[in-house]
Amino acid sequence: MTLVSLWSLLPSPLMVGANLPDNDPWTLALLTNPEVLAVNQDGLGAAGGPVSQQEGLDVWSKKLADDSLAVGLFNRSDLEGTVTAEWSRLGIAGRYTVRDLWLRKDVGRFSGRYAASVPSHGVVLLRLTRTR
């Protein structure tokens, strides 16, 4: 999921070196998640990039055409860690609905920041949508 999440934040093609009909259900779900694919294929065509990097805990963001924001919380360390996306570093303010794109569910509405526990070498990929 980490590589596909990073790929989704960058406007680049996904190259898969496998026989697609032979994929197991988990791999097929990984490669065909419509919400993750939508981030990569977003009409704005903006590239994402790092917002903060501290001790192997990284936050990346990408502006999307509908004024929402894709945010990747990456853990490059060997231990589980809490990764926090600070609104001020993302260049936003106010209340946002946070959706986990891999779980395909809303996790709540937040102001100022959102933090998640991320497993070692794992990722949480989010979409932040302004709450009106």
Side-chain angles (χ1 to χ4, degrees):
M1 286 192 313
T2 301
L3 183 59
V4 176
S5 295
L6 185 59
W7 162 83
S8 74
L9 294 167
L10 302 169
S12 60
L14 175 63
M15 306 289 273
V16 179
N19 187 6
L20 294 179
D22 293 340
N23 282 315
D24 58 65
W26 186 87
T27 303
L28 187 60
L30 177 80
L31 297 174
T32 60
N33 180 313
E35 295 184 50
V36 174
L37 291 173
V39 170
N40 176 265
Q41 299 297 307
D42 184 69
L44 188 60
V51 174
S52 66
Q53 297 175 308
Q54 298 176 23
E55 300 176 14
L57 305 176
D58 302 347
V59 177
W60 283 53
S61 72
K62 174 181 177 173
K63 292 183 182 186
L64 302 174
D66 66 355
D67 290 327
S68 64
L69 200 63
V71 177
L73 308 178
F74 295 90
N75 180 354
R76 296 181 292 111
S77 76
D78 292 331
L79 300 171
E80 183 172 333
T82 299
V83 183
T84 302
E86 298 280 350
W87 277 204
S88 59
R89 289 186 175 218
L90 295 171
I92 61 175
R95 193 163 176 83
Y96 282 77
T97 298
V98 176
R99 182 169 181 82
D100 186 312
L101 300 183
W102 285 116
L103 296 178
R104 296 171 73 178
K105 69 175 195 173
D106 290 339
V107 294
R109 294 184 176 133
F110 299 85
S111 298
R113 70 183 54 82
Y114 176 78
S117 179
V118 182
S120 171
H121 303 286
V123 64
V124 173
L125 187 61
L126 308 168
R127 185 177 200 126
L128 277 58
T129 305
R130 179 77 185 227
T131 301
R132 307 207 189 275

